[in-house]
Amino acid sequence: MDKVESHNSPLTINKQMFIEKLTKNGPVLDEMSPNHSLVTGDKVYVRVTITTDRNMEYVHLKDMRATTFEPVSQLSGYTFSDGLWYYKNITDTSTELFIRYLHKGTYVIEYPLFVTQSGDFTNGIATIQSMYAPEFGANSSGIRVSVGK
C-alpha cells in the first residue's frame, strides 16, 4: 500500500501525518518525512484534505491506518468539523467517514493517534468516493512508517 500513488477526479484527497512535539511554548505539529522514525508513545495527527469542484451527496471516505496506530478517540458517532457534518466509524484498521452532503469547496479533517508498537509498517491510503456516482473518486498516496524502540 505504501507504493500506491495518488489519483484524483473532480474529487481530490490528500493525507498528511504530523508528529506532536512538546515545546516550552506548547505543542507543535511537525510534518512526518518519509525517513522519520517514530517511537512508542508518540502522538501523531492525521490530516485529510478533501477538495471538490461540485456539490455531492452520499460520499464515503476510508482512511486506513497501520497496526501500530490506535485512535485517541474510540467512539463512533456524528461529528461536525470544518463546516462539514459526517458520521465517523472507528474500526480496527481504519477510520471511515460517511458524508451526506459535501458542498463545493475544501475541507480539512484531523484526528490524533498514538503509536503503540515498534516495527516497520505500511500505513495505507485514504480513499474517497461518491456512493451513487463511483466515477467521482480519489485516493491519496501510501505512507511507510518506521517505529523504533
Side-chain angles (χ1 to χ4, degrees):
M1 291 302 280
D2 60 322
K3 303 219 184 312
V4 174
E5 294 181 9
S6 65
H7 166 74
N8 296 313
S9 66
L11 186 61
T12 65
I13 189 166
N14 182 32
K15 178 178 178 177
Q16 297 170 287
M17 298 187 75
F18 296 87
I19 305 163
E20 182 182 75
K21 300 286 185 187
L22 300 177
T23 67
K24 63 181 178 177
N25 296 328
V28 175
L29 296 180
D30 288 333
E31 188 168 5
M32 273 181 49
S33 61
N35 58 357
H36 187 85
S37 182
L38 299 169
V39 294
T40 304
D42 277 347
K43 191 173 188 179
V44 175
Y45 280 83
V46 175
R47 180 180 295 164
V48 178
T49 306
I50 306 165
T51 304
T52 182
D53 66 353
R54 64 194 72 198
N55 294 334
M56 303 182 85
E57 292 183 322
Y58 303 106
V59 176
H60 175 245
L61 184 149
K62 183 175 184 177
D63 182 23
M64 295 183 233
R65 68 174 165 272
T67 307
T68 188
F69 294 127
E70 283 297 322
V72 171
S73 172
Q74 300 282 332
L75 299 175
S76 297
Y78 282 99
T79 305
F80 180 78
S81 173
D82 197 32
L84 186 65
W85 278 101
Y86 53 85
Y87 184 84
K88 179 169 53 172
N89 183 35
I90 308 292
T91 68
D92 288 340
T93 60
S94 65
T95 297
E96 294 181 288
L97 307 180
F98 296 92
I99 306 165
R100 185 161 182 194
Y101 298 109
L102 182 64
H103 296 284
K104 179 179 176 180
T106 300
Y107 302 91
V108 178
I109 298 166
E110 285 186 350
Y111 61 92
L113 307 168
F114 281 118
V115 178
T116 60
Q117 301 176 46
S118 60
D120 193 31
F121 302 93
T122 298
N123 192 37
I125 60 173
T127 59
I128 189 166
Q129 188 172 36
S130 171
M131 294 171 76
Y132 295 111
E135 63 271 15
F136 297 110
N139 63 273
S140 69
S141 55
I143 301 171
R144 194 86 183 155
V145 177
S146 178
V147 180
K149 294 185 181 192

